[in-house]
Amino acid sequence: MSSVDASASYLLSSHDNPAIAAPAWLQDNLGTLVGVPLRILLIVLGAMLVRVLAKRAITRVVERVLQNGGDEPRRSTRGPAVLQRDKTRADERREQRARTIGSVLSSIVTIVIAVMGLAMVLDQIGIALGPLLASAGVVGLAIGFGAQSLVADYLAGMLIMVEDQYGVGDSVDLGEAIGEVEHVGLRLTQVRDLNGGLWHIRNGEIMRVRNDSQEWARAVLDVSVAYDSNLETVFDVLEETGLALRENPDFKDVLLEDPSVWGVQSLSPDGVVVRLVVKTAPLKQWAVTRELRRRVKDALDAAGIEMPFPQRTVWVRGGEEADVEGDRPSIPAGR
C-alpha cells in the first residue's frame, strides 16, 4: 500500500473514530496546555515571594529607625546637657516619619511588582504589550495633566518627610500659616496658630519653611535707652543681667551659652537701641526673652538708667489777628 493510501486510510479512520485523533492533538499542543499555565503560576508565585521579601526588608528598616532613634545621644555644646527637643514629641515625630515612609515604599513596591507580573502574564498568554503600553501611556498622561496638583502635593509631602524639614510639635512659619505643626501627611500639613485656628496647607503649595524648633534658637532683646546714658554702663548692666539669668536653676539648661551684648543696634529718634542676645534650646527663646525683658527693666531702674519716652516737638503758631491784638506769640512746646 502506498503512503497516499495509508494517509487516506488514517484520515478516514480518524474521522470515524475521534478517540484516535485526540492523542495526536494533545501531543501537538501539550507544551501550550501545560507549559503556559505552569509559567503563569511560577510568575505569580515569584511576584508574591518578591513582594513578601521587599515588605519584610522595609519593615526591618522602619523598626531599625525607630529603635536607633530612641538611643541617639543628645548633642552637646559648651556647658551642661542640651535640651534639643521634647522627647515625647521627638519620638512621635520619628515614628510618624518612619511609618509613613515605610507605608509609601511598601505601596510603591507592591504596584511595581504587580504591573511587572501582569505584563509577564499577558506576554505568556500571547497578548501584544505594545498597544497596551501605548494606551496606558496616553491614559497616564491625561491623568497626569488632570491631577498634576495632587501629584505635586504627594511628591512634596514625601520630600518633606525624607528631608525632615519639619514634624509634629515643631513651630514653623509657612507664610500665612504660623504656629505649631499638629500633623504631617503626604498631601496636607496641619498647623495650629496662636489663636487656636487649624490651618490645612497642601504640601505642593509650601514654597518655603522657617522652622524654629531644630537644634537651637536665639532670644533677641532690643533695649532703648536715653541719649545721655553711659553706654558702657548699659552694656555692663545687660551683661550682668544675662549672666544672672543663666545661673538661675530654672534657666540653667535652657540657655546654651552666656548672653552676649552685641552693642548699639540703631539710633532711633527716641533713644539708643542696644541689642542683647543668647542662644537657647528650641522653642524656649520666647520664654527667655520675656524673662530677660523683666530683669533688664528692674536692673536699669536700679542703675538709674532712663528708658526714654517718645519725644515730639509741637509748634503752636497764632494768626495775624493775635499779633495785632497783642495776644501771646507762638510758643514752641517741649516734649
Side-chain angles (χ1 to χ4, degrees), residues 221 223 233-243 259 261 274-276 292 296 299-300:
L221 178 64
V223 181
T233 303
V234 173
F235 294 164
D236 293 339
V237 170
L238 295 179
E239 185 175 0
E240 292 173 1
T241 304
L243 293 176
V261 179
V274 181
R275 173 161 292 183
L276 173 66
L292 271 177
V296 166
L300 292 178

Side-chain angles (χ1 to χ4, degrees), residues 70-147:
D71 299 334
E72 289 180 355
R74 293 179 177 178
R75 300 179 184 178
S76 59
T77 57
R78 294 180 299 172
V82 178
L83 299 178
Q84 291 295 332
R85 189 183 287 113
D86 183 79
K87 190 176 186 302
T88 303
R89 290 181 174 178
D91 293 341
E92 180 182 358
R93 169 177 178 168
R94 187 183 303 109
E95 180 178 358
Q96 182 191 37
R97 289 180 59 240
R99 296 197 182 281
T100 302
I101 294 175
S103 176
V104 173
L105 292 178
S106 179
S107 300
I108 293 175
V109 168
T110 300
I111 294 174
V112 171
I113 293 176
V115 171
M116 293 180 62
L118 180 61
M120 296 174 66
V121 169
L122 293 177
D123 182 61
Q124 293 298 321
I125 296 176
I127 299 177
L129 297 180
L132 290 178
L133 293 177
S135 301
V138 173
V139 173
L141 186 62
I143 295 176
F145 276 112

Side-chain angles (χ1 to χ4, degrees), residues 280-293:
T280 71
L283 300 179
K284 300 297 182 180
Q285 61 269 33
W286 300 291
V288 171
T289 303
R290 287 191 292 267
E291 182 64 19
L292 271 177
R293 191 176 291 113

Side-chain angles (χ1 to χ4, degrees), residues 21 25 168 218 256:
W25 182 86
V168 175
R218 175 174 284 134
L256 307 184

Side-chain angles (χ1 to χ4, degrees), residues 321-335:
E321 296 181 357
D323 294 337
V324 173
E325 296 175 359
D327 291 343
R328 188 168 52 186
S330 59
I331 301 175
R335 61 182 180 181

